[in-house]
């Protein structure tokens, strides 16, 4: 079975249509293992940066994403979360809308220049440690994107046991930063300090990218 470390060098390129980081090169051999739906996802063009990304991961009582006027200034809106075992939270709520309701939201977001994506994995999912098959997972995520008319996925891979155990590795550095101090629950970094950290990371060979989370 291919490891989830491979999923990060393969499925990220295949599925991350509106990435907060630059996608890596696709492994051609594993590309041929993908289903037709995953290949269709891969064939979509990635829009040019910068990507101003905002997550929807707070219960508001609303089923549909917020009006575009509320998130003005962002160009990527991520529903959370799609896990290996299925959709939860806002991603689940998106599936409960009718096709017409989803089409209305998508047209409004498209007119405002905002891509609507779903964030996968997250802090509660440990795909590598739990032995998830990367090809099956990529195909499942691709099918979800197509079925529910989304623009792609954000791969929020946080399987830290796999990292610590040497079973997963990344070639990109992604920093999620609260927009303001009031948005932070466990610490806040100023933009100047963040810029210094990014410069250090870039000097060590990491790609520089950040997102508001």
């Amino acid at each position: 079975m291919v490891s989830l470390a491979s999923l990060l060098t393969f499925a990220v390129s295949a599925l991350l249509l509106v990435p907060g980081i630059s996608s890596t090169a696709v492994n051609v051999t594993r590309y041929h293992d993908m289903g037709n739906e995953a290949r269709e996802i891969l064939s979509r063009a990635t829009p040019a940066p910068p990507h101003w990304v905002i997550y929807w991961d707070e219960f508001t009582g609303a089923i549909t994403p917020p009006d575009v006027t509320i998130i003005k200034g962002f160009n990527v809106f991520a529903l959370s979360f799609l896990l290996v075992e299925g959709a939860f939270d806002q991603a689940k709520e998106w599936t409960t809308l009718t096709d017409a309701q989803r089409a209305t939201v998508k047209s409004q977001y498209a007119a405002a220049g905002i891509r609507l994506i779903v964030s996968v994995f997250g802090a509660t999912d440990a795909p590598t440690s739990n032995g998830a098959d990367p090809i099956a997972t990529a195909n499942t995520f691709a099918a979800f994107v197509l079925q529910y008319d989304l623009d792609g996925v954000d791969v929020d891979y946080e399987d830290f046991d796999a990292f610590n155990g040497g079973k997963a590795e990344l070639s990109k550095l992604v920093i999620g930063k609260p927009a303001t101090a009031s948005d932070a629950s466990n610490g806040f970094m100023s933009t100047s300090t963040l810029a210094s950290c990014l410069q250090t990371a870039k000097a060590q060979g990491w790609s520089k990218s950040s997102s508001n989370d």
Side-chain angles (χ1 to χ4, degrees):
M1 185 182 75
V2 181
S3 71
L4 259 293
S6 298
L7 178 60
L8 290 174
T9 59
F10 163 62
V12 170
S13 297
L15 299 176
L16 195 56
L17 306 183
V18 190
I21 60 176
S22 299
S23 59
T24 57
V26 175
N27 182 300
V28 176
T29 301
R30 296 195 179 109
Y31 172 85
H32 291 297
D33 292 331
M34 298 173 66
N36 291 332
E37 290 179 335
R39 292 188 187 192
E40 182 177 339
I41 294 292
L42 179 60
S43 68
R44 300 184 189 182
T46 300
H51 308 302
W52 301 104
V53 184
I54 185 171
Y55 286 81
W56 187 23
D57 191 29
E58 180 176 350
F59 179 75
T60 61
I63 296 178
T64 59
D67 187 271
V68 294
T69 58
I70 298 177
I71 57 174
K72 184 178 180 180
F74 293 95
N75 58 16
V76 181
F77 187 88
L79 305 171
S80 57
F81 276 98
L82 177 60
L83 309 184
V84 172
E85 61 183 295
F88 289 82
D89 303 330
Q90 283 70 33
K92 177 65 175 179
E93 291 178 347
W94 180 251
T95 69
T96 67
L97 301 179
T98 65
D99 290 343
Q101 288 174 317
R102 284 193 293 269
T104 296
V105 173
K106 280 299 301 299
S107 64
Q108 292 171 345
Y109 272 56
I114 303 171
R115 293 297 186 98
L116 188 60
I117 66 176
V118 63
S119 186
V120 302
F121 301 140
T124 61
D125 215 3
T128 302
S129 298
N130 293 334
D133 181 86
I135 299 300
T137 301
N139 287 331
T140 298
F141 288 169
F144 184 92
V145 167
L146 294 176
Q147 179 179 355
Y148 295 106
D149 194 24
L150 295 167
D151 294 312
V153 307
D154 157 58
V155 180
D156 185 7
Y157 183 86
E158 300 184 36
D159 192 341
F160 296 112
D161 286 340
F163 284 122
N164 295 335
K167 297 179 180 179
E169 60 184 43
L170 291 175
S171 61
K172 308 291 179 182
L173 177 64
V174 182
I175 299 174
K177 179 187 180 302
T180 65
S182 61
D183 294 325
S185 60
N186 58 357
F188 179 77
M189 180 183 290
S190 69
T191 54
S192 58
T193 302
L194 175 59
S196 176
C197 292
L198 290 174
Q199 288 299 324
T200 300
K202 185 178 180 182
Q204 294 180 2
W206 292 84
S207 294
K208 183 172 64 174
S209 180
S210 63
S211 65
N212 287 321
D213 187 354

